[in-house]
Amino acid sequence: MNLVLASLFAQLLAGAPAAPPQATPPVLDFPEPGMDDPAAYEGYRTRFYRDAANNTVQIYIKGTEGRIVALLANAANESVGFTVRDSAGRPTSPAWGALDALRSTAGDTRSLEFRLTSDLPRIDLGWFLLGSMRVERDLQYQQRHLRPFDAPPFPRPELDTLIANLARLSAEERQRHLELLRATDVQELRTRLSPTITRAEVDTSWIVTIEQPAFDGRSHLALELRVNRVAAHVQVGARSVVVRSRSGAPIDVAVRITTSAGTLTPIGRAELLNDDFRQFLEAQRAVTDSSGVLRYRWLERQVRGLELVSSREKLMAGLPNFATYFGRDMLMSALMMEPIWSPGMLEHVIGSVLRKLALTGEVSHEEALGGQAIRENASVYNQHVAEYTRHRRAGRAARADSALARARDVLAALGAVRENYSMLDDDFQFPIVVARYLDDARVPAAQKRAFLLDRAADDTTTRLTALLRNIAYVGRSAAPYAARPMATNLIAFPRRPNGRHHPGSWRDSNAGYGNGRFAMDINAIWVPEALSACTRIATALSALGLDSAGRAPDTAAFRQAATAWSDAARHFVVRLSPAAVRTAVRARLAVLPREERAYWQGVIASSPADSTPLEFLALSLDAAGRPIRVANTDPATGLFLQDLSRDRVQRDLDIVMRPYPVGLFVPRLGPVVANDAYATPAIWEEFRKDAYHSPRVVWGREVNLLFLALARQIARATDASARAPDSAGVLHVALLERALQQALEAVQASGLSHNELWSYRIADGALMPVRYGSSSDIQLWNLTNLAVQFRLSQLRRP
């Protein structure tokens, strides 16, 4: 039976009206010949398709671990994953089968089918995980997929506790709760925690079905494996599947994923990108020399990536790991993409943020969807049931009944989207984006007024009302420092129960801010810029006639606060003599493995990097307001946003472009995101354990910020020199242009510039760029490289 007929047969067998499957080629396929270095991918491969609703489906093969994952970037952020091993239990990497996938619909379900092949005579499949991509992400972060197939399944304690709580209710009350979950009894709920595996013989095929309904019973997700019965034998266990070739020939497996979850509404380049950029893209298409052809291929690849993460509902942060709304990622990308986005895109971003804005004015950092929302809402249900139990035991019947009613309300919408407001930086980024929208003379005043007076998320709140909540939040947060500008009055990260500070900005790993309390990027860049933006918003609202009834912000108060905050960067300045630099770097290198130490000692010996004083902005301050001396790339954000003096520009650029391990710059790699040589051994150890924001990685976000910042500063310096020519100005422009060229060459040479982040390894005296293990393949703020290429083309014009 061929692939199309088998797919149709499976749909008919399920009793659903079947639409003919449609062959669909991948939208993108990494690594791509002529563009990517396969060695840097270390056995990793991925393809992106569109399903029958044109929603994005990403399939990746993590060869070194034998993990196969299909992300369904739909309204529930679903995924299906499994691990493939050889007969000895070692991870093995199947190859792609056919290039095209098959997409189809049947009733309210959508399916996508692809093929895998293996040269081994036997493959074992296990660690089947169906549900939320967040759960798949956690499974891999904890490396549970590397354990034996019969190891305990991935724990979801929130759901286990929910079932236990529900089971303890009275029979009548328990039945009410079960009905809300579309379950007949408690045992049915328990079966929803793990996928079921069944085998059937259909025509000449073995069909193995691994399926799992959502815990709330509202959607269904299934994985189907189909193998030719003549060519291979299939054995099914409780949690694993064994496929044996009958003749030793390669094993061919058709993999089919079916879901009934909700869909998103994709938008394409015509709505995303402005006319100027699309004309630029067409001009690049017309270039026929080899470098021009390659440049166009890169641009087209990134445009396709942007389309894959874009929908009317949201801009997803990244694929595969972050296929949801992230406030920071969207706001940062809005600022960086402004030169190339269509006029409606800022309204799209602002509207998305306002729909999710907290009553306090805080911006949602991340949404939880589908299975992840169910887990988080289950925790809320468990709290209500615990409250009910306490009140019942204390004889407080009315309070007990109230708690139980709230528990039922949670169950009735167990999959409702949840918002996370734990981050701080996005709260201050938002007014900067709004101010740019209101300052845009291309958008008519009537359109701005109508947009702000439209509803934000419900029938009672306008976008203007929600926006004013955020502005008020910014003002309240900045007030203590504005009244008394001392370091300990800066915006602080909250303290966790374990005593460490929550890293509430983009470096959100445990080691990201060195356990600092006051982040430099928030306090030296985002808050001052947000206060200035609030002043501009107040002026714009007045001009639009929207300042009646005392609704507009106090312009004078925000202007005074902005003045007080304008020099907040001074608290983060670190100054080191050449001798202090050499001492610190020598101590840091002494604890590295021998081969790495020898490599970096060679870099220092061939460079004067440690022969001059060093001044930089520290990553953060400790609880007492003292700098935690980690050099970092965050000043690139200031160079991108702020009108800085020539001396300040050169100071902030110096640390980025000085060779590592003194500064941050690594040829053929790019600027690493941090340098801890000047910090304490305790911080060295933290970064060793958690490399995500460490000196081992380059971040695409920071690289693109640097490029856009340098383009902006070059344009500013060139204009200033044209108005008032001087030799120092000429030298300044030359320094900026040289830095831009060096950074562009290094990042391009890495071969990984489209990744979320990348790392390196040192072997045989050489440094080799490598893909970072949990890096996203498409990251929204990495796609801002489109804006970089557009801005660079403008700089090159005579």
Side-chain angles (χ1 to χ4, degrees):
M1 181 182 292
N2 66 35
L3 193 63
V4 173
L5 289 176
S7 181
L8 275 169
F9 187 84
Q11 291 176 342
L12 292 170
L13 189 69
Q22 177 186 15
T24 179
V27 178
L28 291 172
D29 188 348
F30 303 161
E32 189 171 351
M35 299 178 70
D36 301 307
D37 178 8
Y41 276 71
E42 299 186 305
Y44 180 90
R45 288 157 288 157
T46 187
R47 286 176 174 172
F48 299 84
Y49 294 95
R50 294 280 195 180
D51 70 8
N54 279 323
N55 281 196
T56 300
V57 177
Q58 179 184 359
I59 302 155
Y60 70 77
I61 302 172
K62 190 178 286 189
T64 57
E65 299 174 1
R67 190 70 179 167
I68 317 294
V69 176
L71 160 73
L72 287 72
N74 54 29
N77 186 30
E78 293 180 306
S79 69
V80 172
F82 57 93
T83 296
V84 184
R85 295 174 181 164
D86 64 16
S87 59
R90 295 169 301 209
T92 185
S93 179
W96 295 118
L99 178 67
D100 289 356
L102 291 176
R103 62 185 187 183
S104 58
T105 61
D108 62 352
T109 67
R110 303 175 310 284
S111 298
L112 191 89
E113 187 170 296
F114 61 97
R115 283 192 176 274
L116 298 172
T117 65
S118 174
D119 291 335
L120 297 177
R122 167 181 164 170
I123 54 173
D124 294 16
L125 293 78
W127 276 112
F128 296 102
L129 191 65
L130 288 73
S132 167
M133 185 63 202
R134 280 284 299 273
V135 180
E136 175 67 37
R137 197 173 86 192
D138 291 346
L139 176 88
Q140 294 194 37
Y141 283 172
Q142 298 176 27
Q143 298 190 328
R144 288 179 176 268
H145 64 299
L146 303 178
R147 297 181 182 181
F149 288 159
D150 59 357
F154 185 77
R156 275 167 274 192
E158 313 92 344
L159 301 183
D160 291 332
T161 303
L162 184 153
I163 292 173
N165 282 331
L166 192 149
R168 285 192 291 267
L169 297 173
S170 68
E172 181 180 354
E173 185 66 28
R174 181 167 62 246
Q175 189 57 38
R176 296 176 70 183
H177 291 225
L178 287 169
E179 289 174 359
L180 291 171
L181 294 173
R182 294 166 172 76
T184 57
D185 54 33
V186 172
Q187 182 55 35
E188 183 179 344
L189 287 182
R190 292 194 179 101
T191 64
R192 293 178 184 175
L193 295 178
S194 301
T196 59
I197 305 176
T198 58
R199 186 190 69 172
E201 300 177 28
V202 179
D203 197 16
T204 60
S205 296
W206 294 110
I207 295 182
V208 178
T209 303
I210 303 100
E211 56 188 338
Q212 187 169 5
F215 187 79
D216 63 356
R218 291 177 181 268
S219 62
H220 192 86
L221 189 57
L223 166 67
E224 181 184 287
L225 307 173
R226 193 168 59 256
V227 179
N228 187 293
R229 286 199 300 124
V230 176
H233 177 73
V234 173
Q235 179 182 344
V236 170
R239 294 175 54 199
S240 61
V241 175
V242 177
V243 183
R244 292 184 178 88
S245 171
R246 296 189 189 276
S247 64
I251 295 172
D252 181 69
V253 182
V255 182
R256 186 167 179 263
I257 300 151
T258 301
T259 180
S260 63
T263 61
L264 300 177
T265 312
I267 53 178
R269 65 188 68 192
E271 296 181 74
L272 292 164
L273 302 167
N274 61 30
D275 291 342
D276 288 343
F277 180 81
R278 283 185 283 130
Q279 290 169 9
F280 163 72
L281 184 63
E282 286 304 307
Q284 296 303 307
R285 185 205 294 265
V287 178
T288 57
D289 63 77
S290 58
S291 61
V293 169
L294 184 59
R295 187 184 313 114
Y296 172 74
R297 288 178 64 191
W298 275 110
L299 289 168
E300 175 62 24
R301 172 159 142 173
Q302 292 180 90
V303 170
R304 292 187 183 193
L306 180 61
E307 291 175 316
L308 288 169
V309 299
S310 300
S311 69
R312 297 204 182 282
E313 293 79 7
K314 73 192 83 174
L315 301 177
M316 291 179 278
L319 306 175
N321 293 324
F322 309 106
T324 57
Y325 162 103
F326 275 72
R328 170 199 304 133
D329 300 59
M330 194 166 60
L331 292 167
M332 283 294 302
S333 299
L335 292 169
M336 297 166 73
M337 296 279 259
E338 191 177 6
I340 68 170
W341 262 2
S342 69
M345 285 307 295
L346 281 185
E347 287 187 354
H348 184 290
V349 168
I350 293 168
S352 296
V353 171
L354 290 175
R355 279 196 301 273
K356 296 171 173 289
L357 199 74
L359 292 176
T360 57
E362 294 165 279
V363 170
S364 172
H365 164 60
E366 179 185 7
E367 64 185 2
L369 304 172
Q372 181 63 23
I374 287 172
R375 291 170 68 188
E376 295 184 16
N377 284 317
S379 294
V380 177
Y381 170 87
N382 294 332
Q383 292 168 10
H384 290 322
V385 173
E387 183 183 356
Y388 156 76
T389 302
R390 288 196 304 272
H391 289 315
R392 185 173 59 83
R393 288 175 177 171
R396 296 186 287 265
R399 291 186 180 183
D401 290 345
S402 176
L404 203 55
R406 291 195 298 274
R408 288 194 299 269
D409 289 343
V410 172
L411 282 192
L414 195 63
V417 177
R418 290 184 59 82
E419 308 295 341
N420 177 333
Y421 298 98
S422 65
M423 293 294 158
L424 302 179
D425 54 343
D426 46 17
D427 302 326
F428 302 98
Q429 291 163 356
F430 181 54
I432 301 172
V433 173
V434 174
R436 293 202 178 188
Y437 167 70
L438 294 176
D439 288 346
D440 191 345
R442 298 170 300 173
V443 182
Q447 180 178 332
K448 295 173 184 174
R449 192 180 299 109
F451 174 74
L452 290 173
L453 293 178
D454 199 0
R455 301 299 173 185
D458 52 48
D459 293 331
T460 60
T461 303
T462 65
R463 291 193 180 108
L464 176 60
T465 301
L467 169 62
L468 293 176
R469 290 204 302 263
N470 173 257
I471 292 173
Y473 173 84
V474 170
R476 290 194 307 272
S477 301
Y481 184 86
R484 192 179 180 195
M486 54 189 294
T488 51
N489 281 342
L490 293 166
I491 306 293
F493 289 151
R495 189 181 294 275
R496 288 171 164 169
N498 64 4
R500 295 181 62 84
H501 294 106
H502 172 71
S505 190
W506 83 272
R507 298 171 184 258
D508 51 0
S509 59
N510 287 329
Y513 286 91
N515 195 31
R517 186 181 183 199
F518 307 98
M520 186 276 290
D521 64 326
I522 291 177
N523 289 285
I525 301 170
W526 292 117
V527 175
E529 289 300 301
L531 292 168
S532 297
C534 289
T535 303
R536 289 155 49 206
I537 291 171
T539 302
L541 293 179
S542 178
L544 292 171
L546 298 176
D547 57 347
S548 60
R551 293 189 298 176
D554 186 336
T555 307
F558 275 105
R559 187 174 291 116
Q560 292 171 1
T563 300
W565 275 85
S566 62
D567 194 30
R570 73 182 189 276
H571 301 293
F572 298 86
V573 175
V574 174
R575 296 182 178 91
L576 298 171
S577 68
V581 169
R582 286 191 290 270
T583 298
V585 172
R586 191 181 307 118
R588 183 67 184 95
L589 296 186
V591 301
L592 292 180
R594 179 182 303 174
E595 190 166 22
E596 290 194 19
R597 181 168 64 249
Y599 178 85
W600 295 118
Q601 286 173 338
V603 170
I604 292 174
S606 62
S607 163
D610 62 355
S611 63
T612 54
L614 187 64
E615 181 176 321
F616 61 89
L617 296 178
L619 183 65
S620 61
L621 308 179
D622 65 16
R626 297 168 300 203
I628 294 175
R629 300 192 312 179
V630 176
N632 61 91
T633 53
D634 286 351
T637 304
L639 294 173
F640 170 65
L641 290 171
Q642 298 173 320
D643 292 330
L644 304 172
S645 68
R646 185 183 296 169
D647 289 344
R648 171 73 183 273
V649 170
Q650 292 184 8
R651 182 199 70 182
D652 290 350
L653 184 59
D654 176 53
I655 189 66
V656 177
M657 299 309 297
R658 275 214 213 189
Y660 185 82
V662 175
L664 300 171
F665 189 75
V666 181
R668 300 187 60 78
L669 187 76
V672 292
V673 78
N675 184 347
D676 58 5
Y678 313 106
T680 63
I683 291 177
W684 302 349
E685 180 62 13
E686 287 188 10
F687 278 130
R688 186 192 66 80
K689 292 178 179 177
D690 189 345
Y692 198 48
H693 297 102
S694 77
R696 302 286 310 189
V697 297
V698 177
W699 273 75
R701 160 200 151 121
E702 295 297 276
V703 163
N704 288 335
L705 268 172
L706 176 64
F707 293 155
L708 290 169
L710 287 170
R712 179 176 184 271
Q713 296 299 337
I714 288 169
R716 285 185 66 229
T718 301
D719 290 346
S721 293
R723 290 193 303 270
D726 69 306
S727 57
V730 173
L731 291 173
H732 181 60
V733 172
L735 181 148
L736 294 172
E737 291 177 336
R738 185 166 58 252
L740 177 59
Q741 187 61 35
Q742 288 175 345
L744 284 167
E745 290 174 355
V747 170
Q748 184 176 3
S750 75
L752 293 163
S753 60
H754 66 282
N755 277 239
E756 178 192 12
L757 68 162
W758 56 98
S759 186
Y760 65 87
R761 68 167 179 260
I762 294 171
D764 300 324
L767 183 145
M768 174 183 288
V770 295
R771 184 182 180 278
Y772 189 83
S774 61
S775 171
S776 290
D777 299 297
I778 297 176
Q779 191 80 8
L780 180 60
W781 57 30
N782 271 49
L783 298 171
T784 58
N785 186 256
L786 291 166
V788 170
Q789 298 305 316
F790 182 70
R791 288 289 289 121
L792 293 181
S793 73
Q794 293 178 316
L795 285 180
R796 297 186 186 111
R797 293 175 185 170

